[in-house]
Amino acid sequence: MGKLSQKIPFLLEFFFNGIFICLYSLRSIEKLPSVWNPEIVSNLILSMAYIAPAVLFINVIANYKMSKGLEDFLRRFIFSIVVFVPMLITWGDVEFAFWLSSVHLLSSVLALYDDSEDVIKDDKQTKEGTLFQGIRLRPAQLVLLSFTGVIFLGTFLLMLPFSSVDGKSISFIDGFFMATSATCVTGLSTLSLQDNFSLFGQVVILALIQIGGLSIMTLYSSMAILLGRSMRMKDRIIMQDLLDVSSLEELFAMIVNIIKYTFLIELWGGIVLTIAFTFEGFEFSKAIYYGFFHSISAFCNAGFSLFNNSLESYATSPMIHGTIAILITLGGLGFIVLKELKEVVTSGKKLVRLGLHSKIVIVTSIVLTVTGTLFIFFGEFLTSIDSYSLWEKMQISFFQSVTLRTAGFNSIPLTNLNKYTIYMMTLFMFIGGSPGSTAGGVKTTTLAILFYSIKSTLKGDKTVSVLDRKIPSPMVVRGTALMFISILITSFFILIIMKIEPEQSFLPIFFEVISASGTVGLTLGITPYLSVMGKLAIAILMLIGRIGPLTLILAIGQRNRSTGKFDYPDGRIMIG
């Protein structure tokens, strides 16, 4: 079967279900052209809602025929079955048909980039091609599309009636915001997890947190390994680029370590927190659920809590906030650092033998945590934490300093803090965690490189060196670009939110934007009161913050270009 004929089912779905989706959307937002007869449009939408499952069924049958067998079909097109079955059960329900058709059409479009089909061997097949054959996704673009796809799937699941508690429903914008916040492991919430979401809805959010924490491609590759399937060459190259490894052996070892460390650490945290919540008077079954939910949320640096006031009720409970602080720290160090620290503990490896990356991450993280603790301790000693004992003040200050590493939990009301403390917190949130971790921000290594770059400039050195190692110039440029792009994006969104939300004062908006861009999740209380456009802007910023501003720029602007085999002469300009 030729390439063109293979795409006929997709084209049928694209045009038929696409028209159905467009008509339903226009009617929902009351933007139908005035010359159109509303009654005719409604009847057309109803008819198409009945036909949409048939179109999807044709697509499923065509996919089965193109597969190498039932196993191959289930591996590649199981999502089509997952969407088709509920669509068949709710046949005739216009709203369900709309959402299910939208989700499946999105997955079909993303499937166009799957290179699992046989390579074209002759010129005739090459010329036959398809409209989309020329599109080739680079790793940065694939990351962007993967996160977007998971967010829309999560939005659909959260909008299902059984995702909310009885008597309440989740609107599209709130579902989209919560799905984005969970997938981007941020923690900002427009709705209360405890009051608005059922057990199913909470589990969906927890799954999105885990997927976002591990990142889409890492999780996908891990599943492939666990199922004993070989990874395709394209996927291997993509993972090598994302994880910065130089060989396939290192790639597989890194993915195995990511999975192993993640679930072992989360298991440890879940057990300890279960015991802690049991001591607090929880029933054992509830303690298990709360323990593992907060363990996953903490290690993934998500900041989602099943308590409406986060961890304020346990500000002086060392077993709870201490465990969560450890989980946040481990999640924010990065898997490469965790692997080397494991060798220190199990193999007796000396700290001086750690790699440069691990040394920079550990030293910078300690400096930031200690500095933040001291600032909060002395800045709030006689104000917001005045009623606590000295030991309790130290606990609260340390926990709040750790949670600034893009975790999003709080053990005291942030609105009670002094303005200078809040401003200091935004600086730490902007920095964030470390590369290769579940944390966001511009990363600790970027801060370290810029610090040593400034130091070298002031000393008159032509090269940047850190701990007796020379930092390549392209890496310094990349760090500078990342910092500059992050500042520009953050400043732009501050202006946008100030325009959209004129009733909010500057400091809460400034804090909210920095929290979203760094995927932190702390807020001064304005998140639930944002307008629809405000929620949409913050959601977009969370996605940018999660995939990284530089990755976003590369995903949008990356092109295949040949720069030629010549260099331009040096040019000199005046600076400062």
Side-chain angles (χ1 to χ4, degrees), residues 261-262 265-266 295-301 327 330-331 335 338 438:
Y261 295 158
T262 296
I265 293 173
E266 289 175 351
S295 175
I296 295 173
S297 180
F299 180 74
C300 291
N301 279 216
L327 290 168
L330 293 176
F335 301 110
L338 291 178
T438 57

Side-chain angles (χ1 to χ4, degrees), residues 130-143:
T130 67
L131 177 63
F132 302 94
Q133 187 177 340
I135 298 178
R136 291 293 183 268
L137 291 183
R138 294 183 177 274
Q141 297 167 331
L142 189 55
V143 170

Side-chain angles (χ1 to χ4, degrees), residues 175-242:
F176 177 74
F177 188 97
M178 295 296 290
T180 304
S181 183
T183 306
C184 300
V185 291
T186 304
L188 291 174
S189 303
T190 57
L191 300 173
S192 166
L193 290 184
Q194 186 181 53
D195 299 336
N196 294 90
F197 291 93
S198 64
L199 177 62
F200 176 81
Q202 293 174 1
V203 171
V204 169
I205 289 177
L206 188 62
L208 293 175
I209 291 172
Q210 188 72 87
I211 292 172
L214 288 173
S215 295
I216 305 299
M217 291 305 299
T218 305
L219 183 62
Y220 165 80
S221 300
S222 303
M223 291 299 101
I225 292 175
L226 293 177
L227 294 175
R229 305 185 187 280
S230 60
M231 294 175 63
R232 294 170 296 174
M233 182 59 65
K234 172 187 173 182
D235 293 329
R236 292 179 179 182
I237 295 173
I238 289 174
M239 292 305 299
Q240 284 177 310
D241 187 22
L242 293 179

Side-chain angles (χ1 to χ4, degrees), residues 267-277 319 323:
L267 176 63
W268 168 82
I271 293 174
V272 175
L273 288 176
T274 297
I275 297 173
F277 285 125
M319 195 169 184
T323 302

Side-chain angles (χ1 to χ4, degrees), residues 28 53 78 82 94 108 182 235 240 273 361 364 375 406 413 418 555:
S28 299
I78 185 63
V82 172
V94 178
S108 297
D235 293 329
Q240 284 177 310
L273 288 176
V361 166
T364 307
F375 195 101
T406 80
N418 295 310

Side-chain angles (χ1 to χ4, degrees), residues 356-539:
L356 178 62
H357 171 82
S358 297
K359 290 179 180 178
I360 291 177
V361 166
I362 294 173
V363 172
T364 307
S365 298
I366 292 175
V367 170
L368 290 174
T369 301
V370 172
T371 303
T373 300
L374 294 175
F375 195 101
I376 295 174
F377 180 80
F378 290 107
E380 302 297 323
F381 191 90
L382 298 177
T383 52
S384 61
I385 59 176
D386 182 52
S387 60
Y388 295 95
S389 66
L390 180 62
W391 169 237
E392 291 173 343
K393 290 178 180 178
M394 294 173 62
Q395 294 180 58
I396 293 172
S397 300
F398 173 74
F399 181 80
Q400 284 304 145
S401 177
V402 170
T403 197
L404 293 178
R405 316 310 305 283
T406 80
F409 293 102
N410 61 280
S411 57
I412 54 175
L414 299 184
T415 52
N416 294 344
L417 301 178
N418 295 310
K419 291 183 179 180
Y420 53 81
T421 303
I422 293 176
Y423 179 76
M424 180 278 304
M425 293 172 72
T426 62
L427 300 180
F428 281 77
M429 291 192 301
F430 185 77
I431 296 169
S434 303
S437 72
T438 57
V442 297
K443 305 298 188 292
T444 53
T445 50
T446 302
L447 176 68
I449 288 176
L450 292 181
F451 171 79
Y452 282 101
S453 176
I454 294 173
K455 180 180 178 182
S456 298
T457 301
L458 295 177
K459 292 172 61 178
D461 296 336
K462 294 183 179 181
T463 60
V464 179
S465 58
V466 180
L467 301 176
D468 299 326
R469 292 292 186 274
K470 178 183 175 182
I471 304 299
S473 297
M475 188 173 294
V476 177
V477 173
R478 182 186 175 102
T480 305
L482 176 58
M483 181 68 74
F484 184 69
I485 292 172
S486 299
I487 294 174
L488 285 181
I489 292 176
T490 303
S491 302
F492 174 75
F493 274 90
I494 290 175
L495 292 175
I496 293 295
I497 300 299
M498 289 176 66
K499 177 65 176 179
I500 296 175
E501 309 291 341
E503 70 282 359
Q504 301 290 347
S505 58
F506 173 75
L507 186 59
I509 290 177
F510 178 72
F511 192 88
E512 190 88 2
V513 170
I514 298 296
S515 179
S517 65
T519 68
V520 182
L522 294 175
T523 179
L524 294 180
I526 70 172
T527 310
Y529 305 104
L530 295 174
S531 63
V532 173
M533 293 304 298
K535 293 176 182 177
L536 181 61
I538 292 295

